[in-house]
């Protein structure tokens, strides 16, 4: 997987205990129209500290342009920002 660390818009669900699960995200490729990718499966969720900030990493998979892709999303709870970390 290639590290891209690109900010994205994510639709996620949150449980009462604060655990989040990404459902779909929107990504803009250069001059193309934005694409909405539905997340088919979340393989795992882990928490880590990156540069002193808490980050939650999700390894997910989806079918993108007819190809099954594995990618990682990162969520920074302190700012509420989501990133496409690896694809």
């Amino acid at each position: 997987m290639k590290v891209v660390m690109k900010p994205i818009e994510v639709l996620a669900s949150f449980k009462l205990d604060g655990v989040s699960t990404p459902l779909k995200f929107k990504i803009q490729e250069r001059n193309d129209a934005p694409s909405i990718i539905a997340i088919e499966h979340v393989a795992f969720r882990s928490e880590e500290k990156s540069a002193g900030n808490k980050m939650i990493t999700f390894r997910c998979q989806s079918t993108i342009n007819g190809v099954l892709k594995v990618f990682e999303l990162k969520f920074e709870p302190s700012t509420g920002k989501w990133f496409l970390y690896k694809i």
Side-chain angles (χ1 to χ4, degrees):
M1 287 190 281
K2 179 180 168 187
V3 176
V4 292
M5 199 60 169
K6 184 175 187 175
I8 56 173
E9 293 180 33
V10 174
L11 178 65
S13 69
F14 290 83
K15 294 183 180 180
L16 291 176
D17 60 2
V19 175
S20 62
T21 303
L23 302 174
K24 52 176 87 170
F25 67 95
K26 182 173 24 173
I27 187 164
Q28 175 106 26
E29 294 293 330
R30 299 196 182 141
N31 295 328
D32 296 336
S35 299
I36 296 177
I37 310 296
I39 296 170
E40 296 169 7
H41 177 67
V42 177
F44 75 85
R45 174 187 190 276
S46 65
E47 294 183 20
E48 62 187 51
K49 285 210 171 196
S50 177
N53 295 329
K54 178 180 173 186
M55 298 288 277
I56 302 171
T57 303
F58 300 88
R59 178 162 293 160
C60 308
Q61 72 179 30
S62 294
T63 303
I64 302 172
N65 298 327
V67 178
L68 186 64
K69 296 266 189 175
V70 176
F71 52 90
E72 288 186 6
L73 302 179
K74 286 198 176 218
F75 175 61
E76 189 175 29
S78 63
T79 62
K81 292 184 180 179
W82 287 86
F83 301 93
L84 175 61
Y85 179 58
K86 290 182 183 177
I87 190 160

